[in-house]
Every structure is written in C-alpha cells, then in structure tokens.
Amino acid sequence: MSYVLDFGEIDRTQGALVGGKGANLGELARVAGVSVLPGFCVSTAAFTRALADAPELDGLLDGLTRLAPEDRDGIAVRSARVRQTIETLTVPAEVAEAILAAHARLGVDDAYAVRSSATAEDLPTASFAGQQDTYLNIVGSAAILAHFRRCWASLFTERAVTYRLRNGFGHTAIRMAVVVQRMVFPRAAGILMTADPVSSDRRVVSIDAGFGLGEALVSGLVNADNYRVRDGVVVDRSVATKKLAVEAAPGGGTRERALAGPERDAPVLTDDEVLGLARLGRRIEAHFGSPQDIEWCLDGDAPWIVQSRPITTLFPIPAAADDGPHVYISVGHQQMMTDAMKPLGISFWQRTSSAPMRDAARAATPP
C-alpha cells in the first residue's frame, strides 16, 4: 500500500490515489520547460487507513448526507463534529513513518506548503476551487503531521459540504490526499487563464498578478493587476492599487504587509514577464488538451507553476466531425446582445429558460 508518492511517481491518471491537485502536479512535473517545486503526496490510502480507526464517522457522514444545502445551521453543527473527530485522530504509525521519511528526503529544515487534494477536485466539470484548505510556510516534522490532519478535516468545511450537496457529490465517495511541497517566497504570484474567463475567447490569455504570495489573490484579499495577451502581444493591462501583500511570517505561517508609496501603484509584471507567462500557459494548455486555470509564482527570472486545472466556466465549443470552419447562430446577437454573456448570466439563463433555449446556449460559441 502506497501511503506516500513523490511527484515523479505520479501522472494525471492517478486522481483516485492522489486527488486532482496531486495528479495535475505530477503531470506538470513531466512537461518540458515547466518548473514545479519539489514535493510528495500523502495518498488517499493514508486517509482511508486513518479513518478506519474512527467508526463513529459513519453515522456523522450519514447525517450530513441527509441535510439540504440550505440548512446552514445543520451543516455547521454536523460538519464541525466531523472535523473535530478527524483532527484528533491518532495517525497510524505506518502512515506517520512514511510521511516523516519523505519529509526528511526533501529537507526537514525547509518550509513547506501543505495542500489539500481531494479526489473530486480540479475536474473538467467541477473545480472545487477553494473548497478545501491549504497551509503555507509550515516548518518542522510535528507541524507537517498536524497540518496534513487539518487538510484531511477540511474536506468537511461548511463550504465544501454545501458545494457537494448542491452538485450531487456524496460525502463518503470522496477521499482526501495531501500535497506537501517546498515553499518559495516569491516577489509576485497570481493566476493565469489560457482563455478569457469573461468572454470565453480562447485566443486571449488573461493574467492576474499581485506582490508576494498568491494567497492574497486566490482568497480575494487584494485587487490584482490584469494583463491580456493575444497572439503574442500584450493588448491590454490594468494596474490596480494594491493595499497589501501576503508574505511568509518568521517561524511559520503567513502575515499581511501593508504596501505604501509607489509600490501600491507599481505594475507587478513587465511586458517580457507577461509574455513569458503567456507562452508557458499555452505550453501547459497544449499538454493537457484544454484551456487551463494556472496558479504561478515568480521567484527570480523563472516562474514556478503550483497548480493547473481545467477552466470549467467557459462557453463550450460543440463537437464537430471535422476541422473545417463552422458557423454557429448566436441568439444573443439576434436580440441585439452583442457582448458575450458572463458566466453568471449563462448560469441564470440555463436555469430559467425553456429546454430548447438551454440546449442552444450550451452549443453556442462567443463571437
């Protein structure tokens, strides 16, 4: 039974063993020209082995399954009991030994990110982005062991439970792996999408960037610079006023640092850095075969890629029997709606329109 796997042992086919994030990181590590920080995955087998020592979880999870997504009070109470049970589990000796051995191989004095990686995560149809927890700048073996238990428990945060209930995923069918990855303390970090997330234009690369760790952007703490690239040219840039950056704290964890003076309004990236990230994004997109939502950080000249997953909110392109040009009818244009519908509008339209219109909406492409 493999409780721990290095990235070199993992590819995209092993989501059931290492979760969506772990599988994609292992696959990224195989792509020429893509830099992935060293690390390992604590597999779902370790999660299953540990939970076998807590039979009381069966009843708790059964109770969660019977709740409605709108029952916020019930979800809060029951999910808290599940998390408390998991966080206080005694880690089986064989699991702890495998984790500590892998940690020692990488270096016990270094800082690490401890990142959740659920089996229903980074899927083409449901990203589960932000539903489980990640912990940054974790130092020491004892802290590593404590925080991967917290990652296990975060499978049952209120937001994660509600998301699964709304999307029809069973609580007992999902397992949690954990990625342990060496930390980098970047000058800048952000999110790169190889298609415009608003218009669904596949020709545009959209890059959000901020100073410090990417956690500030992913959690919505700060406004980000935005850069747009089309055909190898920066066609638009929006430089935001950035009030703070999230940085590593002495002794572990993170802290917020207020930005002052010119740094607040300075552009995060140069045009050369923007174009380099765009080229890297296209390489990753070509490898995975679909538009990608990529998290990156910039430490020196070379960016590190810390995550890549399919973009799940794009207007789909209908399947075609050949590679020739095709013409699609836009109902929006017939009604003088000349801008592409945004994801919220698409979702609302599909939920409220008649069935033929829903089918048309799902088969349309933006102009």
Side-chain angles (χ1 to χ4, degrees):
M1 184 66 66
S2 297
Y3 292 131
V4 170
L5 295 94
D6 293 330
F7 287 166
E9 302 175 87
I10 300 167
D11 60 33
R12 73 175 92 179
T13 67
Q14 293 172 286
L17 185 61
V18 295
K21 186 182 285 98
N24 284 349
L25 280 169
E27 188 71 27
L28 282 166
R30 299 166 179 266
V31 182
V34 175
S35 297
V36 175
L37 291 158
F40 60 89
C41 286
V42 181
S43 72
T44 56
F47 178 81
T48 301
R49 169 65 185 87
L51 265 59
D53 292 337
E56 65 271 24
L57 282 171
D58 292 339
L60 293 174
L61 295 180
D62 186 56
L64 273 181
T65 300
R66 293 197 298 268
L67 295 176
E70 298 78 20
D71 186 358
R72 297 178 63 180
D73 291 340
I75 290 172
V77 171
R78 288 183 178 272
S79 65
R81 291 174 61 191
V82 173
R83 291 195 304 275
Q84 182 180 21
T85 300
I86 294 174
E87 288 184 19
T88 56
L89 282 173
T90 298
V91 180
E94 62 271 32
V95 174
E97 289 171 3
I99 293 168
L100 294 178
H103 183 213
R105 288 195 297 271
L106 282 180
V108 295
D109 295 326
D110 293 326
Y112 292 88
V114 183
R115 313 172 66 194
S116 61
S117 180
T119 53
E121 183 174 277
D122 296 348
L123 301 176
T125 55
S127 73
F128 279 81
Q131 300 306 311
Q132 286 83 226
D133 290 341
T134 285
Y135 301 94
L136 302 178
N137 195 26
I138 306 304
V139 181
S141 297
I144 293 285
L145 289 175
H147 282 84
F148 89 76
R149 272 199 308 257
R150 293 176 69 182
C151 277
W152 282 351
S154 76
L155 188 60
F156 300 98
T157 60
E158 294 172 44
R159 63 182 182 273
V161 169
T162 302
Y163 189 95
R164 287 196 294 272
L165 289 171
R166 287 177 175 166
N167 288 277
F169 288 87
H171 302 304
T172 58
I174 297 175
R175 292 290 179 266
M176 179 70 87
V178 178
V179 172
V180 179
Q181 194 170 19
R182 184 174 292 149
M183 278 287 297
V184 65
F185 303 103
R187 176 185 67 81
I191 299 166
L192 182 159
M193 292 196 174
T194 62
D196 189 311
V198 175
S199 70
S200 295
D201 189 339
R202 271 75 165 174
R203 297 166 296 177
V204 171
V205 173
S206 178
I207 300 172
D208 288 341
F211 293 117
L213 294 165
E215 184 67 17
L217 292 185
V218 174
S219 60
L221 287 175
V222 299
N223 294 326
D225 287 3
N226 179 258
Y227 306 87
R228 290 158 57 84
V229 177
R230 185 197 294 255
D231 300 326
V233 177
V234 180
V235 295
D236 189 31
R237 63 177 60 77
S238 175
V239 177
T241 297
K242 297 165 283 291
K243 296 183 179 181
L244 60 87
V246 174
E247 299 178 341
T254 61
R255 65 182 179 186
E256 296 177 7
R257 177 176 67 86
L259 303 179
E263 190 178 16
R264 280 184 146 203
D265 298 308
V268 176
L269 301 174
T270 66
D271 280 4
D272 285 345
E273 289 169 337
V274 170
L275 294 175
L277 283 167
R279 289 191 295 269
L280 189 57
R282 289 298 187 207
R283 178 176 296 183
I284 293 170
E285 177 186 62
H287 182 84
F288 283 100
S290 66
Q292 295 290 299
D293 173 353
I294 299 164
E295 293 181 26
W296 57 271
C297 58
L298 193 59
D299 175 37
D301 295 330
W304 296 97
I305 301 302
V306 296
Q307 188 169 347
S308 186
R309 57 183 169 234
I311 303 176
T312 60
T313 56
L314 297 178
F315 243 50
I317 296 177
D322 56 64
D323 295 328
H326 297 81
V327 175
Y328 301 102
I329 303 301
S330 169
V331 175
H333 275 63
Q334 291 176 348
Q335 300 185 36
M336 302 305 292
M337 297 166 54
T338 55
D339 289 337
M341 292 177 70
K342 296 181 179 180
L344 179 61
I346 296 170
S347 177
F348 179 80
W349 183 263
Q350 291 174 348
R351 287 176 179 271
T352 59
S353 61
S354 61
M357 296 301 291
R358 280 203 304 274
D359 292 341
R362 289 191 60 80
T365 56

